[in-house]
């Protein structure tokens, strides 16, 4: 490792422990969710307008997740060698070009491909935002910062479906991607103008596929890294199951309008924001693991609650929305602390550790989304089954690895 050139702070207005830095990092992590949540209300219209099925339209979501997973393979290790800023700039540029392609896509195949490339670009901001947090903070302080980012980031999926629904009703689904493009341009300007380089020491090992895979293998040999990445992946996969299936269930089965769906989705996001706020207050007292423990209980409770209510069949959308809000609280409590716990042992390889976490997290979520899309054709209760299963698996993993985590901490 060799010392990096100290950042020229006088040229930038962003620095650690400021709301401006937290907000910028939060918006970087929000770019991917914004690109998905904002067009959710328009998915049925996209399917109709491009002459495809529900499964075909939902494939644009799964393609995004696969691109998100693959894009993270290189960004983290590369940023450990050449710095966070240049890699971040490249990813944002790729995102803008692909979003423009989404706007003009003439068919579902082109839109799916454009969404895949869009995700390749959007994966850079989320990987590097996590790495920057690890560059600047440690331990519970990193968990608190990620929770603060989550609180700000949570406003995006709360507002995005409603705004996307309004734009879709007024101007059509292509205008939704125009709005995403404008948001991407504004964020790119802020990053290139004001974000400093945070990498303090650079990895000197030559970059190659073999070197990246060897580094990933070393990370996976760390027992608690595996646990926290697994918990994060299960948690996010449940969230993505709702994201990918909710528009078809709530609009197609329960008959909600685009705007009503947007408000219902926003209610779930309020649960997530509440979870991040609770985490900020208790992580200093209960620690990262104690906060995660409360979170996985909420995940299991929300998933099982949805399954029971959906099986009873009240006919109200609340049987999906209310338990999903509890699941959202669990996401807000669990994911930021899992990310901080996974990256803490690797200050010199924060980029690679963040990349691998994202690959596993997004890869599992993509396959869950593909399976759910096929299952929803036969029964809307499939979404509840998936959420209950993932929530219970997260709880079981947390309980089963308690001794190993305590031994590692000691």
């Amino acid at each position: 490792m060799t010392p990096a050139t100290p950042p020229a702070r006088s040229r930038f207005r962003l620095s650690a422990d400021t709301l401006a830095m937290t907000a910028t990092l939060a918006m970087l992590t929000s770019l991917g969710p914004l690109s998905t949540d904002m067009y959710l209300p328009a998915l049925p219209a996209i399917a109709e307008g491009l002459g495809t099925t529900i499964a075909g339209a939902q494939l644009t979501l799964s393609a995004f997740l696969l691109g998100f997973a693959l894009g993270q393979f290189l960004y983290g290790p590369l940023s450990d060698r050449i710095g966070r800023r240049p890699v971040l700039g490249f990813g944002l540029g790729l995102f803008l070009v692909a979003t423009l392609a989404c706007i003009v896509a003439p068919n579902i195949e082109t839109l799916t491909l454009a969404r895949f490339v869009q995700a390749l670009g959007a994966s850079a901001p989320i990987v590097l935002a996590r790495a920057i947090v690890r560059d600047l903070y440690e331990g519970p302080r990193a968990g608190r910062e990620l929770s603060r980012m989550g609180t700000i980031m949570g406003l995006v999926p709360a507002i995005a479906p409603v705004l996307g629904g309004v734009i879709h009703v007024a101007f059509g689904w292509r205008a939704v991607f125009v709005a995403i493009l404008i948001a991407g341009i504004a964020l790119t300007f802020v990053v290139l103008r004001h974000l400093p380089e945070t990498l303090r020491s650079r990895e000197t090992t030559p970059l190659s596929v073999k070197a990246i895979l060897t580094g990933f293998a070393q990370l996976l040999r760390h027992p608690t890294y595996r646990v926290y990445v697994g918990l994060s992946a299960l948690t996010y996969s449940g969230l993505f199951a709702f994201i990918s299936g909710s528009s078809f269930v709530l609009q197609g089965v329960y008959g909600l309008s685009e705007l009503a769906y947007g408000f219902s989705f926003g209610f779930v996001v309020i649960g997530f924001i509440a979870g991040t706020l609770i985490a900020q207050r208790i992580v200093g007292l209960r620690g990262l693991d104690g906060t995660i423990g409360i979170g996985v209980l909420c995940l299991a409770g929300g998933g099982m609650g949805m399954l029971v209510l959906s099986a009873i069949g009240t006919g109200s959308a609340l049987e999906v929305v209310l338990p999903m809000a509890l699941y959202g609280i669990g996401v807000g409590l669990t994911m930021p602390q899992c990310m901080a716990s996974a990256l803490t042992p690797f200050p010199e390889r924060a980029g690679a550790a963040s990349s691998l976490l994202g690959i596993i997290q997004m890869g599992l979520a993509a396959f869950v989304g593909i399976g759910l899309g096929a299952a929803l054709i036969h029964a809307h209760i499939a979404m509840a089954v998936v959420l209950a299963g993932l929530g219970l698996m997260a709880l079981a993993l947390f309980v089963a690895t308690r001794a190993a985590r305590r031994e590692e901490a000691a």
Side-chain angles (χ1 to χ4, degrees):
M1 308 288 286
T2 58
T5 302
R9 292 187 179 275
S10 60
R11 295 177 55 201
F12 302 94
R13 284 183 272 178
L14 298 177
S15 59
D17 293 309
T18 63
L19 179 59
M21 174 65 85
T22 301
T24 299
L25 295 178
M27 291 310 298
L28 286 172
T29 60
S30 299
L31 194 59
L34 176 71
S35 304
T36 295
D37 298 343
M38 199 166 181
Y39 93 129
L40 286 178
L43 271 178
I46 290 174
E48 180 180 356
L50 296 182
T52 187
T53 62
I54 290 176
Q58 194 172 18
L59 190 59
T60 63
L61 281 169
S62 296
F64 188 91
L65 263 289
L66 287 174
F68 220 62
L70 292 175
Q72 296 180 73
F73 178 80
L74 185 61
Y75 290 132
L78 184 61
S79 74
D80 286 339
R81 289 161 174 79
I82 68 174
R84 313 300 187 204
R85 274 175 51 82
V87 179
L88 184 55
F90 173 81
L92 288 169
L94 186 62
F95 173 84
L96 296 179
V97 172
T99 304
L100 182 61
C102 291
I103 296 171
V104 299
N107 50 54
I108 193 64
E109 292 81 10
T110 302
L111 180 61
T112 301
L113 178 60
R115 287 282 292 169
F116 177 80
V117 178
Q118 185 187 44
L120 290 177
S123 60
I126 193 167
V127 167
L128 297 178
R130 290 193 299 252
I132 289 170
V133 169
R134 184 59 189 89
D135 291 341
L136 300 175
Y137 313 104
E138 294 186 7
R141 177 65 186 87
R144 189 178 299 112
E145 181 68 12
L146 287 166
S147 294
R148 290 176 63 195
M149 289 164 55
T151 302
I152 298 172
M153 182 187 75
L155 297 175
V156 172
I159 298 171
V162 178
L163 181 59
V166 171
I167 294 173
H168 163 60
V169 170
F171 304 107
W173 65 264
R174 294 183 190 274
V176 176
F177 287 105
V178 173
I180 294 171
L181 179 65
I182 293 171
I185 291 172
L187 182 58
T188 301
F189 173 81
V190 171
V191 166
L192 296 182
R193 181 83 174 177
H194 301 298
L195 185 68
E197 178 59 66
T198 60
L199 183 63
R200 299 301 177 181
S201 60
R202 298 183 179 178
E203 178 65 55
T204 57
T205 305
L207 187 64
S208 66
V209 173
K210 181 179 179 181
I212 293 173
L213 293 177
T214 299
F216 285 170
Q218 292 173 349
L219 292 170
L220 288 173
R221 283 196 286 269
H222 195 284
T224 57
Y225 180 81
R226 294 197 302 267
V227 171
Y228 292 120
V229 168
L231 286 169
S232 183
L234 290 169
T235 302
Y236 184 77
S237 294
L239 179 62
F240 183 72
F242 176 75
I243 290 173
S244 64
S246 60
S247 61
F248 298 109
V249 172
L250 293 177
Q251 293 178 250
V253 177
Y254 293 97
L256 298 186
S257 67
E258 287 91 344
L259 289 179
Y261 165 75
F263 283 111
S264 297
F265 192 93
F267 184 76
V268 173
V269 176
I270 290 173
F272 168 74
I273 294 174
T276 63
L277 290 171
I278 294 169
Q280 291 174 53
R281 298 183 68 88
I282 69 174
V283 69
L285 299 173
R286 301 185 62 92
L288 295 170
D289 255 25
T291 306
I292 293 170
I294 299 173
V296 294
L297 286 173
C298 293
L299 297 177
M304 287 302 299
M306 186 186 299
L307 180 59
V308 171
L309 291 175
S310 296
I312 293 173
T314 65
S316 169
L318 292 178
E319 66 189 33
V320 172
V321 175
L322 289 180
M324 191 60 209
L326 177 59
Y327 192 98
I329 293 173
V331 175
L333 285 164
T334 302
M335 280 190 61
Q337 320 314 317
C338 285
M339 291 176 182
S341 298
L343 269 59
T344 292
F346 310 105
E348 76 288 353
R349 288 185 290 165
S354 178
S355 278
L356 183 57
L357 184 152
I359 290 170
I360 295 173
Q361 178 177 285
M362 300 301 174
L364 178 62
F367 285 111
V368 167
I370 292 172
L372 179 61
L376 281 175
I377 296 175
H378 304 289
H380 73 275
I381 200 173
M383 186 171 72
V385 172
V386 169
L387 279 161
L390 291 169
L392 289 174
M393 282 191 285
L395 177 60
L397 176 60
F398 182 79
V399 172
T401 58
R402 188 186 305 273
R405 296 195 315 275
R406 287 179 176 175
E407 181 180 347
E408 182 69 23

